[in-house]
Amino acid sequence: HEYQSTNNLTASKEWDISLSKTGYSKIAGRCLTMRTTIAGKPIIMVLLNAKNSDVRTEDIMQIRTALEAAIPS
C-alpha cells in the first residue's frame, strides 16, 4: 500500500514533521494539526477553517517564519 498526505510539507526535507493530520468538516473547514520542530523547539500547530489546502500551507509557512524570527537560536 502507498499512502499520500494532503499536507505537502511532510515530503519536504526542510521540515522536521513527526506528526501531521489533515481533515475537513462543515463546522471547522479545512484543518491541520502538526507536530514539528522549529528553531530547535518542539511546536504543535492547529489550524482551522482554511479556505483551501494552499491557504493552509501558506498559513503554516507564515507561522514558521514568525516563530523562527521570535525564537532565539
Side-chain angles (χ1 to χ4, degrees), residues 18-69:
S18 58
L19 177 73
S20 175
K21 174 67 178 114
T22 58
Y24 175 82
S25 74
K26 285 184 180 181
I27 295 172
R30 285 176 180 76
C31 305
L32 170 67
T33 301
M34 186 167 79
R35 184 179 189 278
T36 186
T37 302
I38 297 175
K41 304 288 184 187
I43 304 290
I44 295 174
M45 297 187 209
V46 178
L47 282 76
L48 304 172
N49 202 27
K51 292 182 182 181
N52 59 53
S53 296
D54 291 337
V55 170
R56 186 178 63 201
T57 299
E58 289 172 16
D59 289 345
I60 286 287
M61 297 298 289
Q62 290 177 1
I63 292 169
R64 178 183 178 175
T65 300
L67 288 173
E68 287 174 334

